[in-house]
Amino acid sequence: MINNKLISIIGSGISGLICALILAKSSLCKGYIIQIFENEDRAGGRALSIKFNNSIIDLGAGRFSPTFHPNVSALTNELGKIIEIFPFTKIVLPHPHHHNLKKILTELKPKIKSTCNESFYQFLIRHVGIEKSQNIVNALGYDSLFLPEISPKIAYHIIEMHPETQCFSDNDCFDWFNLVEGFSSLIYSLYEMSIDLGVKFYFNHKLVHFQNNLNNTQLCFSNLEQSKILINSEYTVLTLPPTALSLLNINFPNEWTDFTYGSISLFKGFLFFESPWWKDYGFENKVTIVDNPLRKIYFKSDKYIFFYTDNTYSNFWNEKTQKGESEFLNTVMSLMSKALNISIIELPKPINHFFKFWKHGVEFAKENSLEHPKVLSKNNGKIISTSDAYTSHSGWMEGAIIAGRNGANFILKQLEKSN
Ligand SMILES: Cc1cc2nc3c(=O)[nH]c(=O)nc-3n(C[C@H](O)[C@H](O)[C@H](O)COP(=O)(O)OP(=O)(O)OC[C@H]3O[C@@H](n4cnc5c(N)ncnc54)[C@H](O)[C@@H]3O)c2cc1C
């Protein structure tokens, strides 16, 4: 297939879809074919919802706060999506180290030095010693806070801007929401709008290789039959997370930027029961942060329970799932019994369960003290890379919407110049 008036977008996550829609709506793109190539057989990337009984569960992105995520909020309104309170800002069965945690974190915050290269964990150790530092991170429920690449600034951002931990900061009163129909419904609306505007979708197309030609870029895809498909594209927007870019032959990030990128794995496990036994304990619509591999357990109304882990414990759960269903469920229920202090005999057995491991759940620029360029580009701006990792909202759909917009605007500026 050869077409010089072609804009190719790689990736159909929310950033790729937003980018395609902006371009498809612009008169500057008249005469261009806009195509999205996607490795998977579905749009959405890290936004993925599934339906079980009458419940829709978000295996990926699951909540937003209008205060922190105005673009997500505006998009859900614009698309007429029904939202409901994501209630998990109230902690039950508090960890002993939750006592005084807000006070400790508030007192330490002014001590952050922007010039210092230390990690959050080192920062804590320097101020409160190793044992207390371990207790603090355990009590916060996000194990990425132990990582050497998580600076004190990023760590405070994580604590202040997550529903489960905001109560340990001054942001303790913000409301969070989820979509009644799940975040895949938002993706589906964007997908349908793109189709209506003439955007072409190619699923099961994995970008594997680039070749530079004189006036355009040759993109090489592999499909399900492992055959090679070559596309000559004038503009190419890569909306892939940085780790996916580093798998291509484009010498990323070395030939693109001085920034380097980190990646954190995530795991979500959902459990369905015959009846909502947790209501008898007063856990309904509350979250508990525990010092065992379940880390954060959420009790969703009378519907289901889920747990959510990052970094070390997401890998732990991924390994458990590979050892078989009974190994996984026995471990979950035994740890649940310990976490909730309920005898294993009294705990009902789940009637169904779902899980998803995301090897690259969150990606971010490590050099957070510097301002990241909105997009990265090569070949005189013909190949563009954009990502939520380049924004101040890395790991959030807010960042992905901004990234999609940044990619589209970069192309529109070039088209404007060449007109
Ligand atoms: C478990 C989990 C929970 C989360 N919770 C929240 C939350 O509560 N709220 C929130 O706002 N955000 C949350 N996020 C983050 C949010 O999902 C992401 O920030 C956002 O979806 C990123 O969108 P994107 O389009 O930039 O990237 P992605 O969604 O990653 O899209 C990239 C696309 O590129 C495709 N691709 C990759 N390589 C290739 C290739 N070589 N060729 C072709 N296609 C390729 C991928 O298949 C994918 O579809 C969560 C993420 C995870 C994983």
Side-chain angles (χ1 to χ4, degrees):
M1 197 193 307
I2 292 183
N3 193 324
N4 288 335
K5 297 278 265 181
L6 188 65
I7 301 175
S8 302
I9 296 166
I10 320 297
S12 68
I14 190 163
S15 58
L17 293 167
I18 293 287
C19 179
L21 274 169
I22 295 173
L23 293 175
K25 282 181 193 166
S26 168
S27 57
L28 290 166
C29 292
K30 215 166 163 230
Y32 277 89
I33 293 172
I34 298 161
Q35 304 196 132
I36 297 195
F37 295 93
E38 166 59 53
N39 182 25
E40 306 265 337
D41 59 1
R42 61 167 183 93
R46 283 174 276 165
L48 171 63
S49 330
I50 58 167
K51 194 169 184 178
F52 176 70
N53 283 347
N54 288 325
S55 298
I56 291 178
I57 58 177
D58 279 306
L59 294 172
R63 67 273 209 257
F64 71 98
S65 155
T67 316
F68 306 135
H69 309 127
N71 286 294
V72 179
S73 187
L75 190 64
T76 54
N77 277 340
E78 188 190 320
L79 299 177
K81 297 292 156 199
I82 302 167
I83 58 171
E84 63 180 4
I85 294 266
F86 181 84
F88 304 111
T89 52
K90 316 238 166 20
I91 294 182
V92 275
L93 300 172
H95 198 287
H97 303 291
H98 285 153
H99 181 62
N100 265 344
L101 189 50
K102 180 173 175 179
K103 188 168 170 275
I104 296 170
L105 291 169
T106 310
E107 279 171 7
L108 288 178
K109 194 174 174 184
K111 301 186 175 168
I112 298 176
K113 290 190 193 120
S114 55
T115 48
C116 193
N117 269 337
E118 72 185 347
S119 70
F120 175 61
Y121 192 49
Q122 286 169 330
F123 166 81
L124 286 180
I125 292 173
R126 192 157 58 80
H127 289 285
V128 298
I130 193 153
E131 198 184 327
K132 210 166 175 186
S133 303
Q134 265 169 1
N135 292 338
I136 288 175
V137 178
N138 284 337
L140 287 166
Y142 281 95
D143 293 303
S144 37
L145 296 173
F146 280 118
L147 288 172
E149 55 261 54
I150 299 294
S151 67
K153 198 175 150 201
I154 300 183
Y156 271 87
H157 196 70
I158 292 174
I159 297 161
E160 289 160 3
M161 295 175 80
H162 277 81
E164 315 83 359
T165 50
Q166 68 176 24
C167 61
F168 303 117
S169 76
D170 289 339
N171 289 353
D172 52 3
C173 58
F174 291 118
D175 284 334
W176 289 76
F177 297 91
N178 58 276
L179 301 193
V180 172
E181 294 295 319
F183 278 94
S184 284
S185 72
L186 187 86
I187 294 293
Y188 194 70
S189 297
L190 297 174
Y191 169 71
E192 279 194 320
M193 283 163 71
S194 313
I195 296 268
D196 287 347
L197 287 167
V199 176
K200 308 262 180 273
F201 282 79
Y202 295 88
F203 291 106
N204 297 311
H205 275 60
K206 180 177 186 172
L207 179 65
V208 284
H209 192 80
F210 275 89
Q211 200 171 306
N212 294 332
N213 292 346
L214 203 56
N215 295 319
N216 54 31
T217 314
Q218 190 174 71
L219 308 173
C220 177
F221 296 91
S222 76
N223 64 8
L224 285 181
E225 291 79 42
Q226 299 294 316
S227 45
K228 287 219 154 75
I229 298 150
L230 299 177
I231 308 277
N232 284 314
S233 185
E234 183 175 341
Y235 291 99
T236 304
V237 191
L238 301 155
T239 67
L240 317 179
T243 46
L245 287 185
S246 62
L247 302 176
L248 299 166
N249 68 321
I250 47 173
N251 214 347
F252 184 90
N254 309 6
E255 283 183 13
W256 295 64
T257 174
D258 290 336
F259 279 83
T260 57
Y261 303 93
S263 179
I264 297 168
S265 57
L266 299 171
F267 184 100
K268 272 191 183 180
F270 291 80
L271 306 160
F272 287 80
F273 295 84
E274 193 79 48
S275 67
W277 53 266
W278 54 91
K279 283 177 84 175
D280 299 342
Y281 295 88
F283 296 162
E284 180 189 4
N285 285 332
K286 302 211 168 61
V287 57
T288 180
I289 300 179
V290 295
D291 204 353
N292 81 29
L294 293 171
R295 299 303 273 125
K296 299 182 289 301
I297 313 172
Y298 306 74
F299 304 89
K300 170 75 179 173
S301 60
D302 57 358
K303 295 185 167 168
Y304 53 84
I305 297 179
F306 70 100
F307 64 97
Y308 183 24
T309 61
D310 62 323
N311 197 36
T312 320
Y313 286 120
S314 63
N315 296 322
F316 169 91
W317 288 112
N318 183 38
E319 282 163 25
K320 285 284 167 208
T321 59
Q322 286 164 9
K323 289 185 179 154
E325 188 175 52
S326 64
E327 166 88 14
F328 171 68
L329 284 178
N330 288 342
T331 313
V332 171
M333 294 318 289
S334 145
L335 289 168
M336 181 91 70
S337 149
K338 284 186 190 132
L340 306 183
N341 207 8
I342 302 173
S343 144
I344 189 84
I345 305 154
E346 283 171 45
L347 267 190
K349 300 245 172 314
I351 51 164
N352 220 320
H353 72 102
F354 299 93
F355 60 83
K356 175 99 179 139
F357 172 65
W358 300 86
K359 190 159 187 257
H360 302 289
V362 173
E363 305 230 328
F364 57 96
K366 290 185 191 167
E367 294 76 12
N368 81 314
S369 52
L370 305 170
E371 187 149 341
H372 198 289
K374 285 186 175 170
V375 299
L376 300 175
S377 73
K378 285 233 319 179
N379 290 26
N380 297 323
K382 299 285 179 176
I383 309 179
I384 297 125
S385 158
T386 187
S387 168
D388 63 345
Y390 304 166
T391 74
S392 58
H393 295 275
S394 53
W396 293 99
M397 286 178 290
E398 180 73 8
I401 294 175
I402 294 168
R405 202 176 283 160
N406 288 344
N409 288 340
F410 190 82
I411 291 198
L412 292 178
K413 269 198 195 121
Q414 292 186 72
L415 291 174
E416 206 168 17
K417 264 193 228 151
S418 62
N419 268 351

